[in-house]
C-alpha cells in the first residue's frame, strides 16, 4: 500500500454534519439486508467450534455506528445460541480494524455509550481497535473464528502503478474511474489490481482463521460482466463530470484532474468467484447480490424517484463523507462545497432519467479443512 493511501484513506472523522458517522445510512441499510446471513454464520461458527473465547474481527470498521451494530448483533446471536443450548456463554473478543487515519477515538467514545445499554445477561465482551491495512497480516496464525467486512473491500490496496499520481503520462485522461472513454489497457490494470488484492486478502485471512472459521464479506460490485456497465461507473462518472466543470471554469487545473483516479473497483460475481476458486482455501457457503437505491433515504421499491433534487443532495452527502479526505489531499479543500453542490445537481439530473441502484455482493466463506 502506498504511504499516500495509508495516510489519506479514511472516512470523514467526528460527528459533525459531514462526518461518516452522520452519513452512513447507505451502509447501515446493507447491514440490515445482510443481517439474516450474519445471524446464520455466527450461529454456525459458534455451534461448530464452541470456543471458550470467540475471536471476531470487523475489517474496515470506520467510525460510524455500523460497526457497533455489528458488535451488538454478534453478542445477541451468540447469547441466544447459548440460551437455546443451555450453555454458559463464551467470552467474545472483538477487533475493530481500519486504516491508521480512521477516527478510532470517536468510535471508542460511542462504544462506551453503547456498552452502558447492553444487558448484563449478554456474553462478556472485550473490544480492541486494530489500525492497519487488511492487505497485510493483522493476526497471529489460527487465532480468529469469524471475520466480517462490510462496504470496504471495493477499496484497492493501491492504484495500478501506471495510474499513480506521480506517473508522467495520464492514461485515464478526464476520468476518475472506468468510463466508456477509458482504454482497455487501463481497464485491465484495474481488473488485475482487484484480482491481486482480493486474492492476497483471502490468503492472509486463511492463515489467520482457525480451522472451520468463517468470513462474511459485503462490498460494492456490479450486476453484469460488462466492466463499463456498473453503477459505480455512473456514480463516479457524475463526480468526474463535476470535476470537469471546475476545470472548464479554471477552478481546477486540467492536469490535476487527469492525474486523479479512484483506488476502487466494483467486481462482478464471476470475478469474485474466480478469485475464491484461485485461492483454493475456501468453500463458498453463500453468495448473493442485492441492490440498494443510490439515495440512502429512499426506501421505496419502484423505478420512480419522488424528489430528485433532495435525492441528489442525499447521494452527494453520502459520497462526500467517504471521499472528502482523498479529494482534499489531491485538489485542496477549497473545491469541496462547490464540487459536491455540482455533483448533487448531476445526480438529480441523472435520477430524472433513470432510478439507479448500487449492487452489493455478499459472500460467506468457510476455510477448507
Ligand atoms: C465505507 S466505509 C465502511 C465502514 C463500515 N464497515 C460500515 O459499514 O459503515 C469503508 C472503510 O474501509 C476502510 N478501508 C479501506 N481500505 C482498507 C484497508 N486496506 N484496510 C483497512 N481498512 C480499509 C476505510 O478506511 C473505511 O473506513
Amino acid at each position: 500500500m502506498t504511504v499516500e493511501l495509508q495516510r489519506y484513506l479514511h472516512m470523514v472523522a467526528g460527528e459533525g454534519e459531514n462526518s461518516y458517522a452522520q452519513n452512513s445510512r447507505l451502509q447501515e441499510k446493507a447491514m440490515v439486508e445482510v443481517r439474516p446471513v450474519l445471524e446464520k454464520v455466527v450461529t454456525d461458527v459458534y455451534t461448530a467450534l464452541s470456543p471458550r473465547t470467540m475471536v471476531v474481527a470487523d475489517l474496515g470498521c470506520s467510525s460510524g455506528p455500523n460497526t457497533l451494530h455489528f458488535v451488538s448483533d454478534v453478542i445477541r446471536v451468540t447469547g441466544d445460541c447459548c440460551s437455546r443450548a443451555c450453555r454458559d456463554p463464551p467470552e467474545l473478543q472483538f477487533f475493530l480494524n481500519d486504516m491508521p487515519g480512521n477516527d478510532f477515538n470517536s468510535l471508542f467514545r460511542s462504544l462506551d455509550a453503547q456498552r452502558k445499554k447492553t444487558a448484563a445477561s449478554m456474553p462478556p465482551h472485550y473490544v480492541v481497535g486494530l489500525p492497519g491495512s487488511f492487505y497485510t497480516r493483522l493476526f497471529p496464525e489460527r487465532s480468529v473464528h469469524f471475520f466480517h467486512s462490510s462496504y470496504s473491500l471495493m477499496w484497492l490496496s493501491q492504484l495500478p502503478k501506471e495510474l499513480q499520481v506521480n506517473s508522467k503520462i495520464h492514461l485515464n485522461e478526464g476520468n476518475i474511474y472506468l468510463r466508456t472513454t477509458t482504454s482497455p489497457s487501463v481497464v485491465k490494470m484495474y481488473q488485475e489490481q482487484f484480482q491481486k488484492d482480493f486474492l492476497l486478502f483471502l490468503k492472509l485471512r486463511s492463515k489467520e482463521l482457525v480451522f472451520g472459521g468463517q468470513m462474511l464479506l459485503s462490498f460494492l460490485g456490479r450486476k453484469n460482466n460488462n466492466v463499463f456497465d456498473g453503477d459505480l461507473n455512473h456514480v463516479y462518472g457524475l463526480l468526474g463530470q463535476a470535476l470537469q466543470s471546475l476545470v472548464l471554469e479554471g477552478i481546477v487545473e486540467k492536469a490535476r484532474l487527469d492525474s486523479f483516479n479512484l483506488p476502487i473497483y466494483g467486481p462482478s460475481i464471476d470475478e469474485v468467484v474466480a478469485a475464491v476458486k484461485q485461492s483454493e482455501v475456501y468453500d463458498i457457503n453463500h453468495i448473493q447480490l442485492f441492490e440498494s437505491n443510490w439515495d440512502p433515504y429512499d426506501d421505496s421499491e419502484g423505478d420512480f424517484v419522488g424528489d430528485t433534487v433532495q435525492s441528489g443532495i442525499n447521494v452527494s452527502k453520502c459520497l462526500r463523507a467517504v471521499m472528502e479526505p482523498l479529494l482534499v489531499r489531491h485538489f485542496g479543500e477549497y473545491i469541496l462545497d462547490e464540487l459536491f453542490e455540482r455533483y448533487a445537481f448531476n445526480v438529480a439530473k441523472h435520477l430524472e432519467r433513470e432510478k439507479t441502484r448500487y449492487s452489493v455482493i455478499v459472500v460467506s466463506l468457510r476455510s477448507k479443512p
Side-chain angles (χ1 to χ4, degrees), residues 1 9-11 20 24 27-28 30-31 58-67 97-100 102 130 132-136 138 148-157 322:
M1 172 159 282
L9 175 50
H10 58 85
M11 310 293 99
Y20 182 75
S24 48
Q27 294 81 353
E28 183 186 345
M31 290 191 66
D58 190 26
L59 306 177
C61 63
S62 197
S63 55
N66 297 341
T67 191
N97 154 261
D98 208 291
M99 299 295 279
N102 183 53
L130 177 59
S133 168
F134 51 54
Y135 293 116
T136 62
L138 293 169
H148 173 260
S149 178
S150 186
Y151 254 83
S152 303
L153 272 161
M154 60 279 182
W155 286 97
L156 299 171
S157 71
V322 172

Side-chain angles (χ1 to χ4, degrees), residues 221-224 226-235 357 359:
R222 63 178 199 280
K223 230 182 356 179
N224 57 42
N226 179 353
V227 75
F228 298 117
D229 190 14
D231 280 292
L232 297 187
N233 308 94
H234 294 305
V235 168
R357 298 180 173 90
S359 299

